[in-house]
Structure formats: structure tokens, C-alpha cells
Amino acid sequence: MKERLEVLYSEKEIEEKVKELAKIIDEDYKDRPLHLICILKGAVMFMCELAKRLKNPNVTMDFMAVSSYGDATESSGIVRIVKDLDEPLEGKNVLLVEDIVDTGRTLSHLTKLLGERNPTSLEICTLLDKPERRECEVKVKYKGFLIPDIFIVGYGIDYQQRYRGLPYLAGIHFEE
């Protein structure tokens, strides 16, 4: 099967969107401590770029790895925690940073799990939102781009561990 990429958002467009999100987050949190949690692996580039643009000097970060896709293009529906957080969340303003909100299953599971750890606040920031595919209701406070129901690669997002390093976002089309 042959793969064809269609650029959806350029490196420049992504950079502008990340700056815009950082500005809004800075306004909301001012100088209050903010704990970013990156959902690995797909959100790592987004979170790093976002963190670099936040002016808040009280930003900390942690990483969590979950799996619901494996090598497939469809979520299995089973959310597995591959790497849990290194630090407790009690009393922290937490911002979950995700690459894409698709069915919402992963974030629904994570917000319940992390909410039980008593953070002061728990919000979600995603670079990409695919509302057409939503199966679970999740409240996403900070959204980058709304995208159609296509499989996306680039800027940290992969297909079978490939294409993560692309500096842009593309739809991947499979042709015979």
C-alpha cells in the first residue's frame, strides 16, 4: 500500500497557533504555578514549543505515556498507562497537553484518573481537535486547530512510528 501526504498546516501556521495558545494560557494563569503534563509520544513537540513560549516563570512539567492505538490507525478503545507521572498532583494547577483529541476515550480516562489525585485544577490543551469522532464527552479548554476525520501525521504524531519528525501536519492517504 502506498502512502501519500497532504500538508494541512505548515510549520509557520503551527508556530503562530502555539504562540496564540501560549498567550491565552499565560493570561489565564498569570504567575500562578502551572504543571504541564505531556501525553507521550505524540504531544512532545507541541508541549516543548508551548512551554518555550509561556512567559510564566512557574511552569513545571511531567510526562505520561498511554497507549490505545498500537500500530493501527483506529483506537483499540483500551487505554493502557505505559508510563505514569513522576510527581504527585495534589494542590497543582494541571494542564494536560495532548496532540489530538479524537474519540475522547483516552482523555476521558485520564481526566478521571488524574482528578482522583486532587489537583487544584485540571484542564486540557490540544493542538488538534477532531470533534466528528467524539465518543466520550471531554472538556477541552485550549484548542489549536479543528480538523476533519482524517489520519494525521507530523509534528510529533506518527503512523507506525514514522513521520513524527515532520515540521508540519499532514493528512496521510493510503492508496493501492
Side-chain angles (χ1 to χ4, degrees):
M1 191 174 335
K2 201 169 161 186
E3 299 161 10
R4 179 176 57 83
L5 300 182
E6 172 193 1
V7 176
L8 298 175
Y9 298 103
S10 69
E11 187 173 5
K12 182 75 175 153
E13 289 171 303
I14 297 166
E15 183 181 326
E16 290 304 312
K17 184 60 73 175
V18 173
K19 284 180 187 174
E20 180 184 312
L21 288 168
K23 185 177 182 206
I24 294 165
I25 292 166
D26 272 335
E27 288 169 5
D28 287 353
Y29 288 92
K30 307 270 187 259
D31 288 333
R32 291 183 297 145
L34 177 61
H35 191 64
L36 305 178
I37 296 177
C38 177
I39 307 303
L40 295 171
K41 299 178 186 170
V44 72
M45 288 187 190
F46 174 45
M47 188 177 91
C48 289
E49 292 301 315
L50 182 67
K52 286 190 323 190
R53 286 163 177 79
L54 291 171
K55 293 181 176 31
N56 185 338
N58 301 304
V59 173
T60 56
M61 56 179 75
D62 203 345
F63 299 86
M64 187 170 215
V66 297
S67 176
S68 66
Y69 280 83
D71 283 338
T73 59
E74 292 283 327
S75 173
S76 67
I78 300 165
V79 179
R80 286 186 318 111
I81 294 178
V82 180
K83 181 216 174 292
D84 206 341
L85 300 171
D86 294 331
E87 301 176 19
L89 297 181
E90 189 164 351
K92 294 182 180 180
N93 294 308
V94 173
L95 184 61
L96 276 178
V97 181
E98 181 64 290
D99 54 355
I100 185 168
V101 180
D102 193 332
T103 63
R105 284 188 231 154
T106 300
L107 284 174
S108 177
H109 179 80
L110 284 179
T111 53
K112 285 179 190 143
L113 174 74
L114 299 179
E116 293 170 358
R117 299 181 185 185
N118 300 315
T120 298
S121 66
L122 177 61
E123 300 291 351
I124 297 169
C125 177
T126 188
L127 180 60
L128 303 171
D129 187 16
K130 197 187 288 187
E132 290 175 42
R133 299 248 316 147
R134 202 76 84 245
E135 294 174 12
C136 296
E137 193 60 39
V138 287
K139 182 181 167 243
V140 181
K141 185 164 185 178
Y142 307 101
K143 299 176 188 180
F145 301 103
L146 289 178
I147 59 168
D149 186 12
I150 58 175
F151 198 83
I152 304 291
V153 294
Y155 200 72
I157 303 168
D158 75 303
Y159 170 63
Q160 296 182 343
Q161 296 298 327
R162 296 172 27 241
Y163 302 114
R164 278 191 203 281
L166 297 175
Y168 55 85
L169 288 160
I172 186 168
H173 304 279
F174 301 96
E175 302 165 346
E176 303 236 1

